[in-house]
Amino acid sequence: QALYALDYLSAAEKQELLKDFNATASEYPSATVPELFSARAAAHPDSVAVVYQDRELTYGELEARSNQLAHYLQATYDIGRDDLVGLMVDRSEWLMVGILGILKAGGAYVPLDPAYPRQRIDYIIEDSGMNLLLTNPQYVFEGAGTAQAALERLPLDQWPVTPVSTDRQPGDLIYGLYTSGSTGKPKGVQVEDHSVVNLSQWLSELIYSGEPKPLTALLTASVTFDASVQQLFAPLLNGGRLVLIAEEIKKDVNRYIEQVWAHQVDVLDITPAYLHAVLNELAAKGEVLPVKYTLVGGEALAEEDGLRYQAYFTAGSRLYNVYGLTETTVDSTCELVDATRQPHSIGKPLNNTQLYILDSHGQLAPVGVPGEICIGGAGVSRGYLNKPELTQERFKANPYGSGRLYHTGDTGRWRPDGSIEYTGRKDHQVKIRGYRIELGEIE
């Protein structure tokens, strides 16, 4: 028998790796994202939902506007379940109107950045087979290969503000997000509605539900980046206030901090590189930021910044180090950063998430032994759009439970307490400011 096939783990070790470290079962709503938002809007219609510059939309106004858009999309373009609708708009309150309107019509959104090269935009439109591209008037262009509509100029007032009729299900698509591809072409990840609901429920338990009043969160990530998913939906499904800022403000750390002060932001979700820049700015000014919760993810958190955090954020502020991938719905693990505990780990599996460390032959690696991080559970996506071979290669049947395992290409090892230490990559993928870059696409 080949050495790699020998099962050298004891029954106690298997119990620990398969059961104890993955005891994450937790109930989450069986409703869809639009249903949960509508319930919040019905309960608190006059509460502020979205803020952009000097403009605000209450939950009632956002509900009405997105309902009107959903009626328009169904009647004009026959948008329904699993239909993909492109969304290429600048940051404004219209961003959430567009996303919720698409979901309420039964469809799924595909975010595009207006700053993308035209070649990449054309490729995503063609590859996704999207039914429609909603955009700003200045971005409507010839030869798009699909119907286009300027979101802010649509005759929405002609449509009812009442909910649309749809048979949307938790297993339907909620978005298709394109990430860098090793073959030189981006690949679209198909994520289902229930995965986002599970993620939002976990964030509710971690942050929102324990607070006496609604929290204010800031959208920092681009909507083409998976971190935006939890930044957009978690506040709005928990009755919070979502503040959008212009892209040029995000690029200026000093102005970004000013916005945090101006809007009394409670929740930040940024990359470690951006946290580093914020901490440097706060140190230079001698300021302490009144933020209650900060999540960092997308790349390694520097030990120095974990130590500095408590000095420049309000007393009792919590810093969470999270890890996950677009293919597994943003976050899969989390650790509350303790400055005395070095080095940082990427934490333990989230609600309804299972993690396994497998060796090069697919066998379980014991505590302390490096291997590939593989993820199962509620966050695992459908796979890649129109790429069955690649989906089959990365999403495999889970030999230790139900559903499928996503093979991340990341490497790590278990610590004795059930947290995971990240050790690197199996391939040539790199991370720059939290963005996944496949070198093949650059080449």
Side-chain angles (χ1 to χ4, degrees):
Q1 189 174 15
L3 280 174
Y4 72 80
L6 294 176
D7 183 0
Y8 60 91
L9 295 179
S10 68
E13 283 181 299
K14 287 182 181 177
Q15 168 69 27
E16 183 178 57
L17 295 171
L18 298 176
K19 304 296 183 187
D20 300 348
F21 288 172
N22 284 309
T24 59
S26 177
E27 296 231 350
Y28 65 99
S30 58
T32 64
V33 165
E35 286 172 341
L36 292 171
F37 175 80
S38 294
R40 282 287 178 188
H44 305 283
D46 299 324
S47 297
V48 174
V50 176
V51 179
Y52 178 72
Q53 295 179 345
D54 58 351
R55 304 194 293 274
E56 294 181 345
L57 280 180
T58 65
Y59 273 83
E61 289 168 338
L62 182 53
E63 170 77 355
R65 276 285 176 194
S66 55
N67 283 343
Q68 288 176 316
L69 177 57
H71 280 290
Y72 171 82
L73 293 175
Q74 281 191 345
T76 311
Y77 295 98
D78 196 28
I79 300 300
R81 292 175 66 182
D82 280 5
D83 286 337
L84 297 175
V85 178
L87 190 64
M88 188 169 72
V89 296
D90 292 325
R91 288 179 184 225
S92 76
E93 67 277 22
W94 283 96
L95 177 65
M96 276 317 301
V97 173
I99 289 174
L100 283 171
I102 292 167
L103 300 184
K104 289 181 173 193
Y109 71 97
V110 179
L112 295 100
D113 190 331
Y116 278 165
R118 174 66 188 274
Q119 182 182 7
R120 188 181 178 106
I121 292 172
D122 287 342
Y123 174 79
I124 292 174
I125 289 173
E126 181 182 354
D127 183 70
S128 67
M130 63 179 62
N131 302 55
L132 169 69
L133 176 63
L134 289 177
T135 187
N136 295 125
Q138 67 269 31
Y139 300 132
V140 173
F141 58 96
E142 293 182 8
T146 191
Q148 298 175 82
L151 181 57
E152 296 168 49
R153 293 184 180 174
L154 297 178
L156 298 186
D157 289 338
Q158 300 174 15
W159 297 92
V161 298
T162 52
V164 298
S165 173
T166 176
D167 54 355
R168 183 180 189 85
Q169 299 296 317
D172 290 350
L173 282 186
I174 187 167
Y175 59 83
L177 202 152
Y178 276 77
T179 70
S180 184
S182 58
T183 61
K185 296 190 184 297
K187 53 187 187 293
V189 180
Q190 306 175 90
V191 174
E192 295 175 345
D193 198 300
H194 72 93
S195 297
V196 175
V197 172
N198 180 63
L199 177 71
S200 298
Q201 177 65 24
W202 165 72
L203 284 163
S204 173
E205 295 170 12
L206 186 75
I207 292 174
Y208 290 92
S209 61
E211 291 291 329
K213 65 181 184 65
L215 298 179
T216 297
L218 191 63
L219 174 68
T220 303
S222 164
V223 290
T224 61
F225 186 35
D226 68 346
S228 69
V229 172
Q230 63 193 32
Q231 294 175 26
L232 291 167
F233 293 115
L236 295 178
L237 297 188
N238 285 287
R241 185 165 155 265
L242 177 65
V243 176
L244 311 178
I245 55 173
E247 191 68 28
E248 59 267 20
I249 291 177
K250 189 182 82 170
K251 292 176 181 174
D252 184 331
V253 177
N254 188 42
R255 292 176 70 191
Y256 181 86
I257 292 172
E258 288 174 357
Q259 290 296 305
V260 173
W261 277 105
H263 295 285
Q264 290 295 290
V265 172
D266 301 297
V267 184
L268 290 183
D269 186 345
I270 51 183
T271 62
Y274 204 88
L275 175 64
H276 182 77
V278 168
L279 288 169
N280 286 348
E281 193 71 26
L282 292 173
K285 292 180 170 184
E287 283 184 6
V288 175
L289 212 53
V291 170
K292 292 184 175 182
Y293 303 94
T294 303
L295 291 94
V296 291
E299 59 192 352
L301 171 65
E303 292 178 23
E304 172 199 358
D305 292 336
L307 290 167
R308 291 200 298 164
Y309 180 83
Q310 294 300 337
Y312 297 107
F313 281 71
T314 191
S317 179
R318 294 185 162 216
L319 174 62
Y320 291 103
N321 190 30
V322 296
Y323 161 83
L325 299 101
T326 307
E327 289 85 348
T328 56
T329 317
V330 193
D331 291 338
S332 298
T333 68
C334 175
E335 176 178 68
L336 174 62
V337 175
D338 179 349
T340 64
R341 176 183 157 112
Q342 304 290 347
H344 303 307
S345 83
I346 57 173
K348 300 178 181 181
L350 308 187
N351 291 2
N352 304 303
T353 302
Q354 296 82 47
L355 266 77
Y356 309 94
I357 308 291
L358 304 182
D359 66 20
S360 58
H361 300 287
Q363 307 287 351
L364 285 173
V367 171
V369 176
E372 183 179 15
I373 300 172
C374 298
I375 303 172
V380 177
S381 68
R382 272 192 204 177
Y384 300 113
L385 191 61
N386 302 322
K387 290 183 169 52
E389 297 86 2
L390 186 59
T391 299
Q392 196 171 5
E393 177 188 323
R394 302 299 290 271
F395 295 82
K396 298 178 181 177
N398 182 356
Y400 308 107
S402 59
R404 294 174 306 152
L405 276 186
Y406 176 66
H407 290 246
T408 66
D410 289 330
T411 59
R413 57 182 162 225
W414 288 110
R415 289 179 173 177
D417 66 351
S419 63
I420 292 176
E421 182 182 335
Y422 180 87
T423 56
R425 286 289 302 175
K426 285 177 61 180
D427 54 21
H428 301 296
Q429 187 188 97
V430 295
K431 285 285 186 76
I432 300 176
R433 297 194 300 277
Y435 287 91
R436 285 163 56 174
I437 308 294
E438 297 276 6
L439 297 183
E441 185 169 356
I442 303 303
E443 290 165 5

